[in-house]
Amino acid sequence: MAETVEKSAKLSDVARAAGVSQGTVSNVFNRPALVREEVREHVHDVARRLGYRGPDPKGRLLRAGKVNAIGIATAEPLSYFFEDPYARGVMEGIAETADAAGAGISLVSAANDETLAWNIQSALVDGFVLFCIEGGERLVRLTRERQLPFVALALGAEDNTVATVGVDSFAGGRLAAEHLVALGHRKFAVVALPVRPGHSESGPITLADVDVAIYSTSRDRVHGYFDVLSGQGIDTSTVPIVETQNDEPTVRAALATLFGGRDHPTALLVQSDRAALIAIDWLHQHGFDVPRDVSVIGFDGIAEGQLSRPRLTTIAQPLKDIGRSAVAAILNGMPPGRQTMPVELVVRDSTAPPRG
């Protein structure tokens, strides 16, 4: 019987049992400073006895039309926000700006399509920042159905109807290749991010595969690399490209492919810092000196790159600024179209002229 009372107790029940008006009970829970202390204590005692825990915050927020929270969504598992260095860097900027605005953050993710759809539809938020690393089009579709403001980060497909914040990957690719060419390198290989959706294995791909890639980030970085290399008279058809999933198993498999023979590249153009750090570790384990035997350049500018041995040369994205801009776009409104942030060549110790 007690359980039934607890489930059915309402604000009106508390008011009747306490001998006060419903407005007084509402003030006790929502504006306690308006109610005398002895009345507050009496109402709370009655509420506890009846099993009433206060007004439903969801109902109050929905009636107000604003919940003062931003959803951060991805189709990756929830661990992505904590394990991926790119995500952590962007989240720093998101958290700083949300804190300054007094807004909360709600992490929304699911590897399962059905669960992801439910999580997005049920999230109590005013808008979404979408980490479109994988499944970006699905995230955009689900969020559009929710009819809330949203901003996409790293959206693979080009869509001018979506508000996006990102960097010029083509320009970043050019900067990376220009740096290695200026050091005297002529033998290159590309360690790429995913090119083909739903393809979970690593392996060699061709420039034709890259040209029709759905993910513009991977495609544009390769095109930036090859724009510089072809301008230097290097036959880009001889430059191997190996697709990875930006994780340890596939990056290590890619390195085994690239260095399986006697003739190997002297410079690696790697499309993420995470993959570049895995590559450096693999090279060291297999007797290669970085950078004297092989130069490695990454792309992202994550904090871990400053701590590696050797310290990682990279194309740095303004990760915190990307997060700040995304939150500001949700809070202040951002029209469809792309906001492009600058990239920067950061030269450290993982690149050097080739031997001899």
Side-chain angles (χ1 to χ4, degrees):
M1 176 65 72
E3 184 178 352
T4 303
V5 171
E6 180 177 336
K7 286 184 177 180
S8 61
K10 301 176 182 178
L11 182 145
S12 58
D13 299 325
V14 176
R16 185 165 50 252
V20 298
S21 69
Q22 293 186 35
T24 298
V25 176
S26 177
N27 285 337
V28 167
F29 285 96
N30 296 309
R31 295 175 293 277
L34 299 179
V35 184
R36 297 195 312 275
E37 181 178 358
E38 61 270 21
V39 176
R40 291 201 308 267
E41 292 179 356
H42 173 59
V43 169
H44 279 302
D45 287 342
V46 172
R48 280 193 294 270
R49 177 165 54 81
L50 295 178
Y52 178 73
R53 296 183 176 87
D56 183 357
K58 291 184 291 185
R60 184 172 66 251
L61 292 171
L62 291 172
R63 286 192 298 272
K66 185 177 177 64
V67 298
N68 206 32
I70 296 171
I72 315 299
T74 179
E76 300 287 328
L78 191 61
S79 59
Y80 166 77
F81 291 114
F82 306 96
E83 295 174 356
D84 186 89
Y86 167 85
R88 290 203 303 267
V90 175
M91 285 297 295
E92 283 189 51
I94 288 175
E96 284 183 7
T97 308
D99 274 345
I105 291 174
S106 177
L107 300 183
V108 180
S109 77
N112 175 282
D113 283 358
E114 184 177 343
T115 305
L116 179 63
W118 167 256
N119 289 346
I120 288 179
Q121 284 297 324
S122 61
L124 284 172
V125 296
D126 298 314
F128 289 93
V129 176
L130 308 181
F131 279 75
C132 297
I133 308 304
E134 285 276 2
E137 295 79 8
R138 186 168 76 257
L139 277 173
V140 168
R141 175 177 55 78
L142 291 170
T143 309
R144 272 181 166 150
E145 292 173 359
R146 183 70 191 275
Q147 298 184 353
L148 287 175
F150 68 92
V151 176
L153 309 183
L155 181 62
E158 296 177 0
D159 188 341
N160 291 328
T161 69
V162 176
T164 64
V165 179
V167 299
D168 187 336
S169 287
F170 179 84
R174 281 190 53 86
L175 281 175
E178 286 170 348
H179 170 65
L180 294 173
V181 165
L183 291 173
H185 289 278
R186 304 288 294 181
K187 297 169 67 175
F188 295 87
V190 176
V191 179
L193 293 170
V195 171
R196 299 163 288 184
H199 191 264
S200 60
E201 303 295 329
S202 66
I205 57 176
T206 67
L207 184 56
D209 295 320
V210 172
D211 290 340
V212 297
I214 290 180
Y215 300 129
S216 61
T217 296
S218 308
R219 182 185 69 238
D220 291 350
R221 290 177 191 179
V222 172
H223 285 171
Y225 300 149
F226 282 12
D227 186 60
V228 171
L229 300 186
S230 60
Q232 294 295 316
I234 296 172
D235 182 1
T236 54
S237 67
T238 66
V239 176
I241 309 170
V242 185
E243 181 185 26
T244 76
Q245 299 302 308
N246 199 33
D247 60 16
E248 191 153 337
T250 59
V251 172
R252 286 181 171 273
L255 271 289
T257 297
L258 293 172
F259 291 86
R262 297 180 61 184
D263 190 28
H264 62 76
T266 65
L268 293 180
L269 293 153
V270 188
Q271 291 194 344
S272 81
D273 283 356
R274 185 181 190 184
L277 295 175
I278 295 169
I280 289 174
D281 184 60
W282 186 96
L283 289 165
H284 285 164
Q285 289 179 5
H286 289 80
F288 294 95
D289 183 275
V290 179
R292 286 183 292 178
D293 295 324
V294 184
S295 285
V296 178
I297 187 168
F299 200 119
D300 279 336
I302 63 175
E304 289 85 345
Q306 302 180 58
L307 305 175
S308 64
R309 293 292 179 268
R311 297 181 306 145
L312 181 64
T313 297
T314 188
I315 304 302
Q317 302 187 57
L319 299 179
K320 292 177 70 172
D321 287 344
I322 289 172
R324 294 184 184 111
S325 295
V327 173
I330 296 296
L331 297 177
N332 304 324
M334 176 178 169
R338 184 176 183 84
Q339 179 183 348
T340 302
M341 310 290 283
V343 292
E344 177 188 7
L345 170 66
V346 178
V347 180
R348 299 194 184 107
D349 307 321
S350 67
T351 53
R355 287 187 187 271

